[in-house]
Each structure stands twice: as C-alpha cells, then as structure tokens.
Amino acid sequence: MRVDQAVNIEDLHRMAKRRLPKVAFDFIEGGLEDERRLDRNTAAFHKHHLLPRYLVDVSKRDQSATIFGQNFSSPFGISPTGSAGLFRRGADMMLAEAAREANIPYIMSGASNDTIEDAARVAPKNAWYQLYAARDGKISDDLIKRTADAGLSTLVLTVDVPVHSKRERNTRNGFANIRGNWLQAALSLKPSLLAEAMTHPGWVIEYIRHGGTPALGNWLPYLANGASAEETVKFNRSMVPAHAQTWHDLERYRRLFPRNLVVKGIMDPRDAVRAADIGCDGVIVSCVSGRSSAFSAGRPSTARWRADCPG
Amino acid sequence: MRVDQAVNIEDLHRMAKRRLPKVAFDFIEGGLEDERRLDRNTAAFHKHHLLPRYLVDVSKRDQSATIFGQNFSSPFGISPTGSAGLFRRGADMMLAEAAREANIPYIMSGASNDTIEDAARVAPKNAWYQLYAARDGKISDDLIKRTADAGLSTLVLTVDVPVHSKRERNTRNGFANIRGNWLQAALSLKPSLLAEAMTHPGWVIEYIRHGGTPALGNWLPYLANGASAEETVKFNRSMVPAHAQTWHDLERYRRLFPRNLVVKGIMDPRDAVRAADIGCDGVIVSCVSGRSSAFSAGRPSTARWRADCPG
Amino acid sequence: MRVDQAVNIEDLHRMAKRRLPKVAFDFIEGGLEDERRLDRNTAAFHKHHLLPRYLVDVSKRDQSATIFGQNFSSPFGISPTGSAGLFRRGADMMLAEAAREANIPYIMSGASNDTIEDAARVAPKNAWYQLYAARDGKISDDLIKRTADAGLSTLVLTVDVPVHSKRERNTRNGFANIRGNWLQAALSLKPSLLAEAMTHPGWVIEYIRHGGTPALGNWLPYLANGASAEETVKFNRSMVPAHAQTWHDLERYRRLFPRNLVVKGIMDPRDAVRAADIGCDGVIVSCVSGRSSAFSAGRPSTARWRADCPG
Amino acid sequence: MRVDQAVNIEDLHRMAKRRLPKVAFDFIEGGLEDERRLDRNTAAFHKHHLLPRYLVDVSKRDQSATIFGQNFSSPFGISPTGSAGLFRRGADMMLAEAAREANIPYIMSGASNDTIEDAARVAPKNAWYQLYAARDGKISDDLIKRTADAGLSTLVLTVDVPVHSKRERNTRNGFANIRGNWLQAALSLKPSLLAEAMTHPGWVIEYIRHGGTPALGNWLPYLANGASAEETVKFNRSMVPAHAQTWHDLERYRRLFPRNLVVKGIMDPRDAVRAADIGCDGVIVSCVSGRSSAFSAGRPSTARWRADCPG
C-alpha cells in the first residue's frame, strides 16, 4: 500500500509498522508497564459522542478555532513526538511544514532532532516548543530564552514525566532508551533483533546511510564543539528529567517567557487552578486520561485541544 | 440454503452475502469510518427488554397499530433502502408488494430505481416516499408535488446526511459510490474484485443480462430524453445532498405537502420540538441512536416506529 | 469420564452432550431465538455475591429451610424438566427418588412421562406437580383433582408459556417439537443428523430397545384405550398451551386445590401481588430473570427458591 | 529466560510455570470452584487508578510507611504462602531474608515448612506469623506463645478458611490436598501426570534428592519424636481448619499475645468493627475482595496493606 492509498490513520499505522524494524516500532507503539492504559485511553475517547443538529446550512464548513488570540484552521494540532527524526530523517521539519500548510499548531518535541531556530524559520506562526526542563536550571532558562528570541508564540512545559517511565518493550529489546547509538547496541546484543531488522531493509539502509542516530539538535550548544550525536543523547539523559522541578520553577519560567505558557500533563484539577493562578495560559491534558480539565481562569482564551499520546 | 429454509434474519443475511460479490455486499453491510457504530446500534437495541404480563387471554394476538389515523397490522414498517434494485432487479416493487400484503408502511427510498408513481400503483395505501432534497429547490418541490399527486399519505424528509459519509469499504473497493456504472469500473481497477465476483456467478449473470446498473427512476424526468442509467446517477450525485437545506426549506415543504410530513434522522430533542412547531406530524429516529424521541405535540397520532439502518 | 469422576456440573453437562445425539441434546441446551438470554441468565446469577461472616462456629452446617411449613434439607429443589424420560428412560422417577433421598422438593414436569400417581408413590412428601393447563378446562381440573387426590402438597401452575416458543435449533434439526415420533422423522429428513446420531450408539440403542419415544403418562386417561405414545404427544400439542387462560382460571384452580398453590413464571411485581391477593402461596421466578420477587402476602411461609431453566 | 532477565512479575509467573510440573503449579495458580473469582480479583485492582500531582520535588522518593509504630520501607509486604518449601526447598527462609533486606513485613504462613523460631532468627524485625488455629485449642495457644516468645511483633489470625475449599484443579489432578506424599500418589494414579512431570526434570530431581515433601516444621513438636513429613501433614489436616472457632477464641488470643494482633480475611465491615472493639490492631482484607476495610479504631496505627492471594 502506498501513502496515497491509505484510507484512514490505521492504514498509516500498519504501513509504518511494516517499514520499521520491530526494535524501532516498539518504541513508538509501546506503552508503559503492562500497556493496559493504551486501551483505556482509546476507550475514553470512545465514550464521547457527537450529537448533531440538522437542517443547518453546511455548504461551507469551518472548523477553525481561535487559540490564544490566533486563528487556526482546526482545534487540533500536532503533539510533541520525541525522536521523530530517528524514524524518518528530517521528520521534525516535515511536521512543522505540514502544520504551516494546514495552519494548525505544531509543538516541537523537547527531544527533537532539529532545533527551535529551525522550527521558527519553517513555521514561524505555527511552531510551539515543548520544554523538558533540565536538572541544570541554566539550560532550562536558555531553552526558554531561545524560544522567546526565536519568536515562537507558545512554550509548553511538560510536567508528567518527573522520573523515567518503565517501557517494557524497550527493555526486552535490549536497551533502556532508544536514543544514543542504540541500534548497533541492540542488534549486537540480540541476534533475533538483527534478523528481524534485515526484513525491513528500506529503513535500515536509510538509517546507515545517514550515519546512524541523529543528534538532539537543541542540546548541541550545551556540549563542547564537535560533540557526537551519541554524546548529545547521553548528556540529555543526564539532565532530563528534572526530578526536583517544582511550582517555584514554573513561576520562574513564567517570568522568563513573555508570551503564552502552557502546562502539559496536569491531571488534578487543583493543579490546573494553581497553574492559572501563577499566570499560565492553558493546560494540555495528556492522553493518560481522557478527561479535559482545560481552564480559562481570568484569561480570554484557552487551549482546549487534546494532545496525542507519546510526548 | 433456500429462502424458505431460513429460520431467522441472520440466515437471510448469510444467504445474501453468499449471493452477492463482496464489492456489492460491502455497500449494504459496511458502516461509516471505523464501523464502530454498527455494534453500538445493535447493543442499544439489546438494552431494552420486554416485561411480560401473564394470565391474559392471548388466543387472538393483535399487534396492529394506528399511525396517522390509519390502521396498520404492525407498529413496524419497511425503512428506505437505497439502490435496492441494484442488488435484486425490481426490488423496490417487491418491497411495496410485501408491505401491501402485510399491511405495514413501506417507505420508498429517495434513491430507489422504481418511481413514486409505481409505488402508488402497487401499494397505494402503504407506500410513503423518502425525500432526499435536491440542491435545485425546483426538483425538491416537484418530487413533493409528485408524491402528493400520486396520493401517497406520507412524505418522509431525511435530514441526517447533509454531507456524503465516509464509507471506507467502498473506498477500498475502488469506487466512492456504488451507483453509476460502478461494477465495471471497480472490476477493471482491481483484478482481485473481479476474481471474487466470478465466484458469485448468479448475481453477476443477472446483472449483465439486465444491462447493468438500473436507472434512478424518479430522477429521469429531470434529464433530457433518453438519458442513460449512468447519467441519472451522475446527475443525482450533483444534486444530493442539499448541503444548504435549512429549517426554512422544511417550512416550505410543509406548505407544499398536504398530508403527513415526517422528519427522519433528528437526534436532538430540541430539533424534534422545532419540527413539531413547524407542523410536522412525526419524526423517525434513525439507527445511529437507539433512543426514540418521537413526539406528538398537538397532534392526535405519532409515528413511533423505529427505522432500520441504511437509509 | 464416569459420572463419579465428575468434579462439577459442567462435567456432567459435557458427559450428557457426549452421550446424546445432537438432535436430542440441542433440545436440552438450546434457548429461544438468538439464545442471547442464556448468557444473560448466567450473568444475572454472577451479579450476586455472598458476603461471609467469620469467627462463627460452622462445625455443624445446616442449610435446611422451611417451605410451606415443611422442613427441607436445602432451600433448593428440582425444577420441572419436560421430556426427561426421552433422554433417559425412567428419568422422572429417578429425579423423584433423588429428591426424596436429599429431602428437597421435586416438581414433576407437566410434560413428564411418568404420572402424578407414580410421583406420589415414590416421593410422597417431596413431589410437587407442575400444571400446564389444557385448552379443555375439564382436563385441567382433572389434573388438579388427581394432584390433590394423590396427596401432593403443592401444585405449581406455569404461566409463562402462553404461546409456543421459537426454538431455532429444533427447527434447524427438522422438527418443531421433540416429542412424538420425532427421531425417526428427523433422521429420515436429514441424513447429516442420522450420521451424527450413529456416533452416539449408546443412547440410540437404548432408545430403540425401549420402543422409541415414551408416552406422556399423565395424558393417557384422556385418550381412548390403547393410544400410542405418539398419540399422547399429538393430543397434548393440541391442548397445550392454553392461550386463553386468565386470572379467572387461576381463581378456579385456587378453589379446586386444597393445599399449596404456586405460580411459576411471573415477572411483573404487580402480577405477584395479584396472585397473593387471590390466595396463592408463592411464586417461582423462572430463569428468564435473575431477580427474585417471591412474596408472602398474609402467609406464614414463602417459596423463595429459584427454578432452573427449562420448564 | 533467566531470573535476572525477567522484566515484570508476569515473566516470573511464566518461568515458574515452566519449571514446575502441572500437578504442582496448578496448586499455586488454581482458584476455587469455577475460578471466576481470580479474574474478578484482578479486575477489582484495575478499578483503582492513581491521580498524580506534578511539579513536586521527587528527586528523593520515599515509599516508607509506619505500620504499628515500626518504620518499613514500603507499605507492601509478603503475604503468607502455604507450602512454599514444596515448590522451592527452603523458600520460607528465602522470603524472610528478602523481607529483611527490603525492610518490609514477611508473614510466615501457618502452613510453612520452616518454623516460627527460624523466622525470628533470620528476620527478627520483619517476620510476622500467620495462625491457622487448631481444633485442639492447646495447640493454638502454644503457637501463639511461641510467636510471642520468639519476639515476633505481630500475629496474624486467618479467619476466612473455616472449611476446606473446593479446588477443582487439585481434585482433577488426583489429590485433595497437595501436602503429604502427594506427588507419588498423584503420579501413580494418573500416568498422564507422570508423563507431564517428566518434562520438568529440574524440579522433579530436586524434589526427589531432598527426600520428597518437606515436613510442616511448626507442627513437629505436637507429634511423637521422629514423625515423618507425611505424618505432620496428616496431623495438620486433622487439626485445621478449626471449624468451631468463634469470637470468644479471638478474645482469648488477644489476652495471650502481648503485641500486635491482626485479623486476616474479614469481609463485612461490622466484623472489622467487632475486631477493633476486642482490641485487635488491624485487619487484612484478603484478595477475595478488592475493597479495603482496614480500621484504626482507637489505635494510633493501622495495617492498611493488602495481602496477595494464596494464604
């Protein structure tokens, strides 16, 4: 099946699964621990049904929405997707371009391969940046400053990964985290993975041709000149997640970032209220729950769109 | 299995599936998008149970019901089924005859192959007509006038298909809509469909013998003399659905049709009330929901029977 | 597996299935129409859980219960099972004996092969009789009189089969009702049934050796002398169910039967109250529902035990 | 798969299943009667979800809990597991050591192979003892006295097995209870079990090398000198469960044991209150329910942790 023959998202899912070696696709598809929550997420969405009203003129249909005072063509956007460049070389900028064309928000992942500055260049009005705070506060502050300097309208702080999660598929595949020079490591550890990967030559050849795992572009400035891709990943792993990050840090980010500040991953309504009191502009409820607890305390506009899963 | 050996509806369903090529049966059996709603519909019906009362004389059992002042032998009728003549040559009139024999309502589909006038001739007391309004209001008005002139008691306006639906099975089978000279087109596009169709020779031979797809009889008057079946379908596709149809149109239909006017597909109770206020005589809740919201505002009788699925 | 190796009821179920030809076992196992209610019945029972209290002396455990002033060893009894003698020659009296040994109620089916008088002889204190009223009221009255004369303590009127039910397995197996000379008929109609039956020689040989289908013993007095088994079944089919039976008939039965009168199959609580008002002693809620609506209006004791399915 | 490759508990479960003959593993894995409750237990746990609060410093994570005034590293402990020494020689002391290393409670089973005194030696601060009361009250009292003399902090009385349960897998495997010289008995009865066992030679060889089934160490003092393992099991079966044990016995245990007394298996909240009134320090809700009804009536601390299944 070719991309233009795909009838729905599930078709694209199957095509991606066919192209990628299991060791790579498991990283995208796998959930935490017993993966029970994946089905629960899907079920949560299916609980909601639309109740249509008829006999209304729908010859022109418009699903545009105003988010933070800006008009977008849809109330949905592209959620942050970590390591996308590993699965498709240049994926971050492809997403940015697609969001620009569709006029929807694109949240660049804090684990992107391309940079904040790239995103601002390709999709100046649509790119937002997802901050995974670093243990070294100076790096967090610099990432915020770069987001502001690049002119991005919105900074999204992810708070729901305060410790590394347990992804059992990754552990079984022989590596704890897919970034770094993981493929070689995984394949050398498990001959069965190597054999399986050889049945997906398209991706493997492209991967090797491009010199293996790409660097985390946003993190290069914080290493010595000439750092390898593997070193950026290693350094990132030593800095993220910022276990000790608290509400006081959020207050500092609020002072540092002059435009829209969104908190992603909040689950408890009390935390949403507290974020509003600090002056945040919105929250994004991640797919660990199907409930929306977006708020608009004292603000004219609200981010109500839901984020997709991995991020 | 022969028809007279069928023990239940599911037997008939299996027999139809065996007779028809997949490309045709998918049109009947398939739902929208991920088809999740098909199971939901079935589940909705299974939520309701009858609570019997015993020690009552049931030696004569009578399930007759008065609908719009007319006595029918059952509170159920035959819902509109589009393109029935494609699957069985002459199906529309078979349904009309069956309804007449059983003394139940028969709603001729707005996408029937036979005509309003045929229905009035075969089942003058049992036939109703389903209006899919046309983008050209003059055609809609003429269809209403013909229904009135033919003496049908009831006009049923379908409102829940304001845009074309996404039937993924049809897309996969290589055509967006099954009407028109679709079979040839589909078979020439996909050799696998042709091979499958050849295993259902009974239907294929009958289909070819009758000269392929039948015309949409009700639409022939709006084309030039000698229009082909394919041209009626093409023209119908250019006229239906009437995206811009609103409550004002319904008010006009109400003025034009002198007898019972029913609105089919309404989901929101507020819309049912509005239809009553306009002077409609009933609503039919389509199977996208299992709830009945029939009303009888200021009217002595009410259409309470539920419609089957495709329509 | 031998009977004494059975660990639970499900084992016995499997053993019976192995012994009986499909054409016979389907009669026992099959439900009505789409058989959806069988699972619903099971699920209804599983909704109820026991909440144990501990630190109580259970060295002597006693589940005896007083029903209609009589002490039984258990609050459960044997529900009426029609045509049991067909599946196992002499089954009615085996059940009566088992109930006597266990000191629990045994309700002889209205479609038993043995007679009320047999039951009174074998299990005088444990046998009850299930009345399927006849269209000819004199027969019903005589069955009631015989139950009274035989000294049975309790008459059970079944009210929830006012018309014949639609058992689709039976229809598929080529006969509408399993009684009568059905086996020969079924086997001659469907060679596949004959072939299947031949794989269960134990039952088939016993069936033939005993001269085929046994008579409905309780109905023999109402036919001419020397009536065949098949004729009893045919006559019974012409007399049962009594479509026109009403509450007035129940009042008459109440006057005719001097001891306990129980109504089986009532579903609506209002009907239970009405039965109490008439002077009935209890109701049995059949397994079409998992709810017990037993009552004891103005009576010192109540039949609270639930009946098994076929009856 | 080796133990250190196990990613989750389910991996360990599969490994154990592979190592043990079916006749042995069924004893661990099987539930009562139709085993329906096993799934219900699991489902009960899955009803509960954690609602996280974010932006809190989690660089040091501490799940320690104070139970009965003592600090443990976790609010979870090791529930009593009967006959563990049968499946792995010396398992009781392995569990005691593991609990000591992890600083969590270890409840030695009343059907352990090692002794109270062993537990006190290996894990003096972490070992608790589960009392299955004996029909001979003097034995119960002595077991309580030994628990007190050995210095264990907590005695756990199990009350929810007042009669032997019906474990159908065990019955099918040819023995009513796995203890005693069961393996030989089972294997000699069922050749199919012997054949299956031979496919798990590791466990079988170890079992034979150690001289078969181990004794129930805590019960040796109550038999004549030189009693065999099989005799301890037989004697235990004659003494346990104590069918006639009542609340009065619990009051006596309360007077006899000077430290924490916990009742395990209580289901009804009224029983929990009664245990509190008697002066018990806590209850453990067994996995037959997913609800916690722990109490702390007039006591500063409460055992709130849930027990695993077999016990």
Side-chain angles (χ1 to χ4, degrees):
Chain A
M1 187 179 266
R2 296 196 321 269
V3 167
D4 58 4
Q5 291 173 324
V7 169
N8 55 27
I9 300 290
E10 181 54 27
D11 283 350
L12 297 174
H13 179 253
R14 271 192 294 265
M15 289 165 66
K17 197 164 191 169
R18 219 170 300 137
R19 178 168 171 80
L20 289 170
K22 181 175 156 39
V23 63
F25 197 70
D26 274 353
F27 177 79
I28 298 174
E29 198 182 38
L32 307 186
E33 319 232 339
D34 61 8
E35 302 198 348
R36 183 174 293 272
R37 189 161 291 175
L38 298 183
D39 284 343
R40 213 150 59 80
N41 276 338
T42 305
F45 280 103
H46 287 143
K47 271 187 209 149
H48 299 280
H49 306 297
L50 299 173
L51 180 63
R53 307 291 300 266
Y54 294 114
L55 289 166
V56 171
D57 184 346
V58 294
S59 50
K60 279 180 195 151
R61 297 177 293 281
D62 176 15
Q63 64 187 58
S64 70
T66 299
I67 304 175
F68 301 137
Q70 181 178 347
N71 188 60
F72 291 99
S73 297
S74 174
F76 299 95
I78 299 174
S79 283
T81 314
S83 299
L86 175 61
F87 306 109
R88 178 71 178 258
R89 191 65 48 161
D92 295 315
M93 287 309 96
M94 291 175 190
L95 293 170
E97 271 178 54
R100 185 193 64 209
E101 294 309 309
N103 189 27
I104 56 174
Y106 158 62
I107 309 182
M108 170 172 262
S109 167
S112 65
N113 299 105
D114 289 311
T115 65
I116 296 167
E117 292 76 15
D118 291 331
R121 182 176 44 76
V122 169
K125 292 188 174 159
N126 298 278
W128 300 2
Y129 182 64
Q130 175 203 36
L131 177 67
Y132 279 125
R135 287 176 203 167
D136 178 349
K138 286 193 292 292
I139 292 178
S140 304
D141 292 358
D142 190 63
L143 287 163
I144 295 170
K145 188 173 176 301
R146 285 168 59 194
T147 307
D149 291 351
L152 299 197
S153 69
T154 306
L155 180 75
V156 177
L157 176 73
T158 286
V159 298
D160 59 357
V161 194
V163 294
H164 284 298
S165 57
K166 186 176 171 226
R167 300 206 177 182
E168 299 188 354
R169 292 203 208 185
N170 293 355
T171 309
R172 289 190 202 288
N173 287 337
F175 57 96
N177 189 285
I178 204 169
R179 284 162 262 157
N181 234 339
W182 60 273
L183 184 67
Q184 285 86 333
L187 298 184
S188 63
L189 278 169
K190 296 215 175 181
S192 64
L193 289 177
L194 179 60
E196 205 273 344
M198 287 304 98
T199 64
H200 305 265
W203 182 84
V204 172
I205 287 165
E206 194 197 341
Y207 178 81
I208 291 168
R209 190 161 57 83
H210 284 100
T213 301
L216 296 173
N218 280 320
W219 290 76
L220 275 173
Y222 312 121
L223 284 103
N225 274 351
S228 70
E230 197 173 353
E231 283 165 343
T232 62
V233 172
K234 226 180 210 165
F235 181 69
N236 177 271
R237 295 284 293 178
S238 74
M239 280 289 162
V240 170
H243 306 302
Q245 175 179 257
T246 68
W247 290 96
H248 294 298
D249 296 294
L250 179 57
E251 288 168 11
R252 190 176 85 248
Y253 307 153
R254 176 67 291 183
R255 287 191 300 269
L256 286 173
F257 193 72
R259 291 183 289 275
N260 307 309
L261 179 58
V262 172
V263 186
K264 177 172 181 293
I266 276 183
M267 296 288 290
D268 192 298
R270 292 167 291 182
D271 288 348
V273 169
R274 184 161 179 184
D277 289 343
I278 284 174
C280 294
D281 300 272
V283 299
I284 296 174
V285 178
S286 282
C287 65
V288 287
S289 133
R291 298 175 302 130
S292 167
S293 53
F295 66 87
S296 61
R299 293 268 163 171
S301 64
T302 306
R304 282 186 181 275
W305 47 286
R306 290 206 183 89
D308 274 347
C309 262
Chain B
M1 189 181 268
R2 295 194 322 269
V3 166
D4 58 3
Q5 292 173 324
V7 169
N8 55 26
I9 300 290
E10 181 55 26
D11 284 351
L12 296 175
H13 179 253
R14 270 191 295 263
M15 289 165 67
K17 196 163 192 171
R18 221 170 296 135
R19 178 168 171 81
L20 290 171
K22 180 175 156 40
V23 63
F25 197 70
D26 274 353
F27 177 80
I28 297 174
E29 197 182 40
L32 307 185
E33 317 233 339
D34 62 6
E35 303 198 347
R36 183 174 294 271
R37 189 162 289 176
L38 298 183
D39 284 342
R40 212 148 62 79
N41 276 338
T42 306
F45 281 102
H46 287 144
K47 271 186 210 151
H48 299 280
H49 307 295
L50 300 173
L51 180 64
R53 306 290 300 263
Y54 294 115
L55 290 166
V56 172
D57 185 346
V58 295
S59 51
K60 280 182 196 150
R61 296 176 294 280
D62 177 16
Q63 64 186 59
S64 70
T66 298
I67 304 175
F68 301 138
Q70 181 178 346
N71 187 60
F72 291 99
S73 297
S74 174
F76 300 95
I78 299 175
S79 282
T81 314
S83 299
L86 175 61
F87 306 109
R88 178 69 179 260
R89 190 65 49 162
D92 296 316
M93 287 307 97
M94 291 176 189
L95 293 170
E97 272 178 53
R100 185 192 65 209
E101 295 309 309
N103 188 27
I104 56 174
Y106 157 62
I107 309 182
M108 170 171 263
S109 167
S112 65
N113 299 107
D114 289 311
T115 65
I116 296 168
E117 292 76 15
D118 292 331
R121 180 177 44 77
V122 170
K125 293 191 173 155
N126 298 279
W128 299 2
Y129 182 64
Q130 176 204 32
L131 177 68
Y132 280 125
R135 286 175 204 166
D136 178 350
K138 286 194 291 292
I139 294 178
S140 305
D141 292 357
D142 190 64
L143 287 163
I144 294 170
K145 186 173 176 302
R146 286 168 59 194
T147 306
D149 291 350
L152 299 197
S153 70
T154 307
L155 179 76
V156 177
L157 176 73
T158 285
V159 299
D160 59 355
V161 194
V163 293
H164 284 298
S165 57
K166 186 175 171 226
R167 298 208 179 182
E168 299 189 354
R169 291 203 210 185
N170 292 356
T171 309
R172 290 190 201 288
N173 287 338
F175 57 97
N177 190 285
I178 204 169
R179 285 162 263 157
N181 234 337
W182 60 274
L183 185 67
Q184 285 86 334
L187 298 184
S188 62
L189 279 169
K190 295 215 175 179
S192 65
L193 289 177
L194 178 62
E196 204 272 345
M198 287 303 99
T199 64
H200 305 266
W203 182 86
V204 171
I205 287 165
E206 195 197 338
Y207 178 81
I208 292 169
R209 189 161 58 84
H210 284 100
T213 301
L216 296 172
N218 281 319
W219 290 76
L220 274 173
Y222 312 122
L223 284 102
N225 272 351
S228 69
E230 196 174 355
E231 283 164 343
T232 62
V233 172
K234 227 181 210 166
F235 180 69
N236 177 271
R237 295 284 294 177
S238 74
M239 281 289 162
V240 170
H243 306 303
Q245 176 178 253
T246 69
W247 290 96
H248 293 298
D249 296 294
L250 179 57
E251 288 167 11
R252 190 175 86 248
Y253 308 154
R254 177 64 293 184
R255 286 190 300 271
L256 286 172
F257 193 73
R259 292 184 287 277
N260 308 309
L261 178 59
V262 172
V263 185
K264 178 172 181 290
I266 276 183
M267 296 288 291
D268 193 297
R270 291 166 293 181
D271 288 348
V273 169
R274 185 162 178 183
D277 289 344
I278 285 173
C280 294
D281 300 273
V283 299
I284 296 175
V285 179
S286 282
C287 65
V288 287
S289 135
R291 297 175 302 131
S292 167
S293 54
F295 66 87
S296 62
R299 293 266 161 173
S301 64
T302 307
R304 283 186 179 277
W305 46 285
R306 289 207 183 89
D308 275 348
C309 265
Chain C
M1 186 180 268
R2 295 195 323 270
V3 165
D4 58 2
Q5 291 173 323
V7 169
N8 54 28
I9 300 292
E10 180 55 27
D11 284 351
L12 297 174
H13 178 254
R14 270 190 295 262
M15 289 165 66
K17 195 163 194 171
R18 221 170 296 137
R19 178 169 170 82
L20 290 170
K22 179 175 155 43
V23 64
F25 196 70
D26 274 354
F27 177 79
I28 299 174
E29 198 182 36
L32 308 184
E33 317 235 339
D34 62 6
E35 303 198 347
R36 184 174 293 273
R37 190 162 288 174
L38 298 183
D39 284 342
R40 212 150 60 81
N41 276 339
T42 305
F45 280 103
H46 287 144
K47 271 186 210 151
H48 299 278
H49 306 296
L50 300 173
L51 179 63
R53 307 290 301 264
Y54 293 114
L55 289 166
V56 171
D57 185 345
V58 294
S59 51
K60 279 180 195 151
R61 294 176 296 280
D62 178 14
Q63 65 186 61
S64 70
T66 299
I67 304 176
F68 301 138
Q70 180 178 347
N71 188 59
F72 292 99
S73 297
S74 175
F76 300 95
I78 298 175
S79 283
T81 314
S83 300
L86 174 61
F87 306 109
R88 178 69 179 259
R89 191 64 50 162
D92 296 316
M93 287 307 97
M94 290 176 191
L95 293 170
E97 272 179 54
R100 185 192 66 210
E101 295 309 308
N103 189 27
I104 56 174
Y106 159 62
I107 309 180
M108 170 171 263
S109 167
S112 64
N113 300 104
D114 290 310
T115 66
I116 296 167
E117 292 76 14
D118 291 330
R121 180 176 45 76
V122 170
K125 294 190 173 157
N126 298 279
W128 300 3
Y129 182 64
Q130 176 204 32
L131 178 66
Y132 279 125
R135 286 175 205 169
D136 178 349
K138 287 195 290 293
I139 294 179
S140 304
D141 293 356
D142 190 63
L143 287 164
I144 294 170
K145 188 174 175 300
R146 285 167 59 193
T147 306
D149 290 351
L152 299 197
S153 69
T154 306
L155 179 75
V156 177
L157 176 73
T158 286
V159 298
D160 58 356
V161 194
V163 294
H164 284 298
S165 56
K166 185 175 172 228
R167 297 208 180 183
E168 300 189 352
R169 291 203 210 186
N170 292 356
T171 309
R172 289 189 201 287
N173 288 336
F175 58 96
N177 190 285
I178 205 167
R179 285 162 260 156
N181 235 337
W182 60 274
L183 185 66
Q184 284 88 331
L187 297 184
S188 63
L189 279 169
K190 297 215 175 180
S192 64
L193 289 176
L194 178 61
E196 203 273 346
M198 286 303 98
T199 63
H200 306 265
W203 182 86
V204 172
I205 288 166
E206 196 196 339
Y207 178 81
I208 291 168
R209 189 161 58 84
H210 284 100
T213 301
L216 295 172
N218 281 320
W219 290 76
L220 275 172
Y222 312 120
L223 284 103
N225 273 352
S228 70
E230 198 173 354
E231 284 164 342
T232 62
V233 171
K234 229 181 210 166
F235 180 69
N236 177 270
R237 294 285 292 178
S238 74
M239 281 289 162
V240 170
H243 305 304
Q245 176 178 256
T246 68
W247 290 96
H248 293 298
D249 296 294
L250 179 57
E251 287 167 12
R252 189 175 87 248
Y253 307 153
R254 175 66 292 184
R255 287 191 299 272
L256 286 171
F257 192 74
R259 292 184 287 276
N260 309 308
L261 178 58
V262 172
V263 186
K264 177 173 180 295
I266 277 183
M267 296 289 291
D268 192 298
R270 290 166 294 182
D271 288 348
V273 169
R274 185 162 178 182
D277 289 343
I278 284 173
C280 294
D281 300 272
V283 299
I284 296 175
V285 179
S286 282
C287 65
V288 287
S289 133
R291 297 175 303 130
S292 168
S293 53
F295 67 88
S296 62
R299 293 268 162 172
S301 64
T302 306
R304 284 186 179 275
W305 48 284
R306 290 209 184 87
D308 274 348
C309 264
Chain D
M1 188 181 267
R2 296 194 322 267
V3 166
D4 58 3
Q5 291 173 322
V7 168
N8 55 28
I9 300 291
E10 181 55 26
D11 283 351
L12 296 174
H13 178 254
R14 271 191 294 265
M15 290 165 66
K17 196 163 193 170
R18 220 171 297 136
R19 177 170 172 81
L20 289 170
K22 179 175 156 40
V23 64
F25 197 69
D26 274 353
F27 177 80
I28 298 174
E29 199 182 36
L32 307 185
E33 318 233 339
D34 62 7
E35 303 198 347
R36 184 174 293 271
R37 188 162 290 175
L38 298 183
D39 285 342
R40 213 151 58 81
N41 276 339
T42 306
F45 279 104
H46 287 144
K47 273 187 210 149
H48 299 280
H49 306 296
L50 299 173
L51 179 63
R53 308 290 301 265
Y54 294 115
L55 289 166
V56 171
D57 185 345
V58 294
S59 51
K60 279 180 195 152
R61 295 176 295 280
D62 178 15
Q63 66 187 60
S64 70
T66 299
I67 304 174
F68 301 138
Q70 181 178 347
N71 187 60
F72 291 100
S73 298
S74 175
F76 299 95
I78 299 174
S79 282
T81 314
S83 300
L86 175 60
F87 305 108
R88 178 70 179 258
R89 192 64 50 161
D92 296 315
M93 286 308 97
M94 290 176 191
L95 292 171
E97 272 177 54
R100 184 192 66 209
E101 295 309 310
N103 188 29
I104 56 175
Y106 158 63
I107 309 182
M108 170 172 262
S109 167
S112 65
N113 299 105
D114 290 310
T115 65
I116 296 167
E117 292 76 14
D118 291 330
R121 182 177 44 77
V122 170
K125 293 188 174 157
N126 298 279
W128 300 4
Y129 182 64
Q130 175 203 35
L131 178 66
Y132 279 125
R135 286 174 204 169
D136 179 349
K138 286 195 291 290
I139 293 178
S140 304
D141 292 357
D142 191 62
L143 286 164
I144 295 169
K145 188 173 176 298
R146 284 167 60 193
T147 306
D149 291 351
L152 299 196
S153 69
T154 307
L155 180 75
V156 177
L157 177 73
T158 286
V159 298
D160 58 356
V161 193
V163 294
H164 284 298
S165 56
K166 186 175 171 228
R167 298 208 179 183
E168 299 188 354
R169 291 202 209 186
N170 292 355
T171 309
R172 289 190 202 286
N173 287 337
F175 57 97
N177 189 285
I178 205 167
R179 286 162 260 156
N181 234 339
W182 60 275
L183 186 66
Q184 284 88 334
L187 298 184
S188 62
L189 279 169
K190 297 215 175 182
S192 65
L193 288 177
L194 179 60
E196 203 272 346
M198 286 304 98
T199 64
H200 305 265
W203 182 84
V204 173
I205 288 167
E206 195 197 340
Y207 178 80
I208 292 169
R209 190 160 56 84
H210 284 100
T213 300
L216 295 172
N218 280 320
W219 290 76
L220 275 172
Y222 312 120
L223 283 103
N225 273 351
S228 69
E230 198 174 354
E231 283 165 342
T232 62
V233 172
K234 229 180 208 166
F235 180 70
N236 177 271
R237 295 284 295 179
S238 75
M239 281 290 162
V240 170
H243 306 302
Q245 176 179 256
T246 68
W247 290 97
H248 294 297
D249 297 293
L250 179 57
E251 288 167 11
R252 189 176 86 247
Y253 307 154
R254 175 65 292 182
R255 287 190 300 270
L256 285 173
F257 193 73
R259 291 183 289 276
N260 309 309
L261 178 58
V262 172
V263 186
K264 178 172 181 293
I266 277 183
M267 295 289 291
D268 192 298
R270 291 166 294 183
D271 288 348
V273 169
R274 184 161 179 183
D277 288 344
I278 283 172
C280 295
D281 301 272
V283 299
I284 296 174
V285 179
S286 282
C287 64
V288 286
S289 134
R291 297 176 303 130
S292 169
S293 53
F295 67 87
S296 60
R299 293 267 161 171
S301 64
T302 306
R304 282 185 180 277
W305 48 284
R306 291 208 182 88
D308 275 346
C309 263

